[in-house]
Each structure stands twice: as C-alpha cells, then as structure tokens.
Amino acid sequence: MLTVANISVRRGAAVTLRDLSLSLAPGRTLAVVGESGAGKSTLIGAILGLVRCSAGQVDWNAAPVSKCRPALVMQEPRAAFNPRLSLRRSVMEPVLAQKLAMDSDRLERLCRGLELQPDLLDRRPDQVSIGQAQRIGILRALIAAPPLVLFDEPLSALDAVTQKHTARLIADMQRQEGFAALIVTHDLGYAAAYADEIAVLRAGKIEEYAATQAFVDAPQSEYGRKLRGAAFALGALERVA
Amino acid sequence: MNIQANGLCAERSGRIILHPTDVNLKPGERVGLVGASGSGKSTLGHELVDGLRARGTRVAHVPQSPDEALDPLRTMAFHWRETEHALGHAPDTVRRDVLFHALQIEGGDLRKRPWGWSRGMQQRFVIAMALIGTPELLVMDEPTSALDPVVAAGTMDLLEAYLKKRQTALLLITHDLGLAARRVSRLMVMDAGRVVEDAPTARILSAPVTPAAKALCAHRNWLELPC
C-alpha cells in the first residue's frame, strides 16, 4: 500500500507541494486532477524519489517506495524511448536493470492484452504510431510486474478515440495484474470513468479528496465544482436527463 | 454571401494527403471538422485558409498552441501592432480594449513577452489577434487542447458569445467529438484525407453512417451522468 504522509516540496522560496497526504491500495486507482502548475508532476517526482521532500514521508508497505520498484508511464509516448534502440530493447530495460529472468510468455501475454503485434517491438520509436508507442510504454512499465504504476497524463498526446481505447486497456491490465495505479490527468472525464478515488490538486494543496462517485455527484470545493462544470462544457462528461 | 472553396487538395512526397474537397459555409455558421489524428483535418484547414485568402476572403486562423503564433523575444504589444499593420489597420486602442474585454484579458501587461503571460491568456490573446480584422471565417485548430479544462471552457464560451454578435463563421477542427457536439451545428467527418460524412450534428450523433463517424460517436464521452 502506498502511503504519502504530509509531504512538502520546496523549490527555492516557492512551495510546490504543501502538507499533502494520500494513500493507495493494490488494485485501486487514484486520479490526481488539477490545472497546469498545480504540482501534479512534482507529486509523481516526490513519490518516485526524484524530487526531495522538505517534510513528510512516502512509503510502500512501510518501506521506501524505491524498494518496490515502481514504474512510470510518461506523457509523450515517442519521447519516452531512446530513439536509437529498438522498442524491444527499451521494453526489456526494467528486466535487465533488475537482473530478472526474461519471461517470454509474460511478454507475449502482455502484448496480447495491450493489443500489440509482437513484431512491432522490432521497430524504433519513430516507426510506430503515437497510440502504439503509448501502449508499448505501458508494456515497458508492466514487464517487471511492479506493484505500483504511476501514469503522468498517459492519454493527453492521443486522439479522442485512441484515448478511450487505451484507457480501457489500462483498466483491463490492472484487473489482470493487480497493481495500484496513480493517474495524473487534467481530464476529469477520464478520472470519473476509471478512478476509484479522485484528488483535486491546486497550488500544491489537495482541495478535495473523495470517492469518484461522490465527487462527480456533488463536488464539495469551489474549484471542484468549476472543474466539473468545465468537463460538461467541453463535452468530456454528458448530462442525461 | 456563402464562404466557398472548391477542389482543395494537398500532396506530400508524392502521396495524396488531401483528396479534392469542397467546403461551403453560410455566414455565421458553426461547423466542426472532426476525425482521428492523421486524417487530414489540419491540412484541410490550412488549404482552406490559403485558398480563401488568395481570393480576398477575410479569414483568420488560430493554431493549436500559442507557441506557434507568438515570438518569445517580442512583447505582446509588438505582436498586436504587427498584426494591425499586416492587416492594414491604423493602431486603434478602442478596438483592442473591446477585444480584450470580450476575451477577459484586460489585465494582461502588454509590455511583457509571451512567457510573462499564462498559457490560457496567451491563447486568448492569439484569438483576439485573429479577430482584429473582423474575419468572415475563423478557423480554430484544436483550440482547447493546450489549455486547462476550466480555462478552455471559459474561452470557448466567451468566443462563442463574441462570434454570435458578429455573424462570424467558425470552423472548429478537433479530434474530440464530445467538444464539437456542444459547439457546432454541422459536422464534417474526415478519414484518410477525405470528408466521408457531412451532416447536421444531431444527425451524425444519432445515426452515424461511415465507420469513421461510428468510431467517433462510440467514443464520444467517457461517461454519461444522470443530472
């Protein structure tokens, strides 16, 4: 279980995260929503240990998070890979880094689950579509069976149809693999459809932290209400009379 | 008078990326150009803008990201003057104030460079620049994808109110049918460089005919909520 307890992050004089706490159990999905500059990506950095917290603690089952080898799926699918390596080499990186035995059955099973033709892996990042690149990014994140996977805006580079397809595949993989998923997104529609809980982040603070249905039915904070209104105005959520 | 362009087409490296296409908009009409990435939406948008400009129609184009429209080394005041100059207008602070008020960016400091403004304000500044020449048609390419949802929704509402008053036609280019469905009365669906379906929004949403339109409709919303 991921436990983030009262963390703060300072950048010079500015406080980018302040006194932030949340928790996430295996098999569950937490969506962190908020505007640009709210501190969403800093939160991911703090959980991964890439950004130093000035206060508070981040644990996985009472041990440092790095021990559980969490995985990250990045926003820009093609930029997330070394352009000079084949995708297969990049996908196997976590296996090599952790000195695990190569399990070709697992690779094949994950490829099937993510609707990827295995021969795509012999190409380079610029020889696949953005949607395929993102699914291969997810494949790389899952190959070493991490208990915690962080997704930083996993769908924002994709078109609307590919977004919904990829979101469904992420949810299917989570059901099979049982990892805890923390998804940072600015798309409340996506969060509402797939997350168990939603945390609304604004100016480094959690404005609202609630079960998804409760949030979508009746946001308690003013900013939460604005976000919900915007999601309707942009057609991300639809009202049915 | 209708805004019309016939036989728009484009070719890159010997490959046809836009097959001959006719576009026809009534004054003040709001049309959505939708389709998956790579279907040729932006290409059609560019060809339409170039074709209409060559014939003297006043048409403005707002690119997807304000980075494409603003020079990071120039002040916002410079951008504004340069646009007025290019359109052959004398500097007019009243017109500027009206546009800034309509898009709610009166608070922006014009002495600053683009990066001194938030992205939401930059995008609205670019939209305001596009409206200086009182265009007959405004072409917007994914106008909201660079913005936070709250700012994006606000910008679309402000723009819609402004265009309605002036009978300016709008071509909204987007991959997001959910967004287009709320903003336009007619949809043109693109697939592989062709317009495959062109019909009123309500008709396409209720009974899509082509596979491209069916895919967009099936994936229109994340969730439907009883409200």
Side-chain angles (χ1 to χ4, degrees):
Chain A
M1 174 142 174
L2 174 73
T3 313
V4 176
N6 308 102
I7 59 165
S8 294
V9 171
R10 288 172 193 283
R11 291 247 164 97
V15 182
T16 50
L17 288 183
R18 60 183 80 215
D19 200 19
L20 186 148
S21 300
L22 44 88
S23 62
L24 176 61
R28 305 280 289 176
T29 301
L30 169 67
V32 178
V33 296
E35 59 197 2
S36 308
K40 303 193 297 285
S41 297
T42 308
L43 172 63
I44 285 197
I47 291 172
L48 291 173
L50 303 172
V51 172
R52 208 162 58 85
C53 300
S54 57
Q57 208 170 341
V58 183
D59 289 329
W60 177 265
N61 293 343
V65 169
S66 59
K67 287 261 188 328
C68 83
R69 301 275 192 170
L72 172 66
V73 174
M74 290 180 244
Q75 183 172 2
E76 285 299 332
R78 288 201 189 113
F81 292 102
N82 184 335
R84 300 178 64 182
L85 297 181
S86 75
L87 289 161
R88 185 181 302 279
R89 174 72 177 70
S90 291
V91 164
M92 295 316 283
E93 199 90 359
V95 174
L96 298 171
Q98 295 177 43
K99 299 191 173 67
L100 302 174
M102 156 79 182
D103 182 347
S104 54
D105 283 353
R106 177 170 174 76
L107 180 66
E108 205 175 298
R109 199 171 60 245
L110 289 174
C111 278
R112 228 183 1 256
L114 289 164
E115 297 177 14
L116 286 165
Q117 298 293 331
D119 61 343
L120 279 181
L121 298 180
D122 296 319
R123 300 190 190 174
R124 291 181 200 283
D126 59 344
Q127 294 169 328
V128 295
S129 72
I130 293 188
Q132 287 166 338
Q134 190 59 306
R135 279 181 278 147
I136 295 169
I138 297 165
L139 172 66
R140 174 175 61 181
L142 300 184
I143 190 80
L148 170 65
V149 184
L150 307 171
F151 297 84
D152 191 357
E153 298 276 10
L155 307 180
S156 60
L158 311 178
D159 71 44
V161 172
T162 318
Q163 278 183 346
K164 278 138 199 161
H165 179 221
T166 309
R168 184 175 56 75
L169 292 177
I170 291 176
D172 289 348
M173 294 315 292
Q174 189 182 17
R175 257 192 299 281
Q176 281 177 31
E177 299 275 314
F179 54 83
L182 186 141
I183 299 175
V184 158
T185 177
H186 66 249
D187 190 335
L188 185 60
Y190 174 36
Y194 284 101
D196 300 304
E197 285 175 304
I198 291 182
V200 178
L201 197 62
R202 196 180 193 206
K205 276 175 69 174
I206 289 186
E207 290 253 325
E208 194 162 349
Y209 187 13
T212 301
Q213 198 57 50
F215 176 80
V216 172
D217 287 344
Q220 298 299 307
S221 64
E222 198 195 327
Y223 184 65
R225 283 192 286 275
K226 270 192 189 167
L227 263 182
R228 182 178 182 269
F232 280 117
L234 294 173
L237 295 171
E238 186 77 348
R239 284 193 171 91
V240 184
Chain B
M1 203 173 76
N2 282 9
I3 300 160
Q4 193 166 1
N6 294 336
L8 301 168
C9 56
E11 200 183 295
R12 301 275 185 280
S13 320
R15 201 167 60 94
I16 295 172
I17 56 169
L18 177 64
H19 296 272
T21 304
D22 300 342
V23 178
N24 193 348
L25 287 101
K26 294 189 196 77
E29 190 180 9
R30 247 154 272 190
V31 177
L33 186 57
V34 295
S37 300
S39 58
K41 309 185 293 290
S42 296
T43 308
L44 178 54
H46 281 294
E47 293 299 324
L48 178 66
V49 169
D50 291 348
L52 290 174
R53 273 193 189 147
R55 292 216 319 267
T57 309
R58 292 195 312 279
V59 48
H61 176 242
V62 176
Q64 186 168 359
S65 155
D67 300 340
E68 291 172 41
L70 301 172
D71 179 344
L73 299 177
R74 301 289 191 179
T75 63
M76 297 307 246
F78 178 90
H79 287 99
W80 194 265
R81 277 201 308 273
E82 190 184 42
T83 311
E84 283 181 327
H85 183 71
L87 291 166
H89 289 301
D92 182 348
T93 52
V94 176
R95 178 180 53 221
R96 190 185 71 200
D97 292 346
V98 168
L99 284 168
F100 278 27
H101 178 72
L103 290 160
Q104 292 183 2
I105 46 172
E106 305 100 312
D109 184 347
L110 287 166
R111 291 167 305 179
K112 289 192 171 168
R113 291 176 171 69
W115 35 269
W117 287 36
S118 72
R119 277 187 84 73
M121 284 182 73
Q122 285 180 35
Q123 183 73 333
R124 282 189 249 175
F125 179 85
V126 174
I127 295 171
M129 284 205 304
L131 297 174
I132 290 178
T134 52
E136 294 156 65
L137 170 67
L138 182 65
V139 176
M140 302 186 84
D141 197 348
E142 304 282 5
T144 57
S145 62
L147 303 179
D148 290 311
V150 173
V151 178
T155 303
M156 287 307 292
D157 290 344
L158 292 170
L159 180 68
E160 233 174 79
Y162 185 90
L163 295 182
K164 207 173 221 163
K165 267 192 262 170
R166 280 165 187 73
Q167 281 288 297
T168 306
L170 172 70
L171 183 72
L172 179 65
I173 302 176
T174 178
H175 62 73
D176 189 345
L177 186 61
L179 171 72
R182 294 189 57 89
R183 304 285 170 183
V184 301
S185 55
R186 174 158 71 95
L187 284 169
M188 296 165 73
V189 181
M190 285 202 75
D191 186 31
R194 289 176 207 274
V195 174
V196 292
E197 208 163 331
D198 181 349
T201 306
R203 208 284 277 143
I204 289 194
L205 293 180
S206 61
V209 176
T210 55
K214 281 181 184 163
L216 285 168
C217 286
H219 295 284
R220 179 176 153 211
N221 296 114
W222 291 105
L223 267 189
E224 293 189 335
L225 296 174
C227 285

